[in-house]
Amino acid sequence: MLKNINTTLKEIFHVLSGALVIFVILEIIWHGIVLAYININWVLIFWLFTGILILILSNKNNGK
């Protein structure tokens, strides 16, 4: 059960990482195209929270 949650969180983390890279590239190319529709701060917070959860769950998984 814990392994499935950890795998899902890793996939979410990878998707958010890719989305952030794409958002940054789009903002560099065309200023305001992403920021007009998406608040990147929330994406960054969710990305960070997901990364912390992955670390905590993998630490619990290795401890057993």
Side-chain angles (χ1 to χ4, degrees), residues 37-55:
Y37 299 103
I38 299 172
N39 188 355
I40 294 181
N41 292 329
W42 286 107
V43 178
L44 283 170
I45 290 170
F46 191 55
W47 178 76
L48 183 65
F49 182 70
T50 305
I52 291 170
L53 281 177
I54 289 170
L55 289 175

Side-chain angles (χ1 to χ4, degrees), residues 3-60:
K3 187 175 180 181
N4 290 339
I5 294 171
N6 201 8
T7 304
T8 305
L9 286 174
K10 284 182 183 178
E11 289 294 325
I12 291 171
F13 184 78
H14 290 289
V15 167
L16 288 173
S17 298
L20 285 170
V21 169
I22 291 171
F23 291 161
V24 167
I25 291 171
L26 283 173
E27 274 297 316
I28 290 172
I29 293 172
W30 190 355
H31 183 68
I33 189 71
V34 176
L35 293 177
Y37 299 103
I38 299 172
N39 188 355
I40 294 181
N41 292 329
W42 286 107
V43 178
L44 283 170
I45 290 170
F46 191 55
W47 178 76
L48 183 65
F49 182 70
T50 305
I52 291 170
L53 281 177
I54 289 170
L55 289 175
I56 290 171
L57 291 178
S58 67
N59 210 7
K60 283 184 180 179

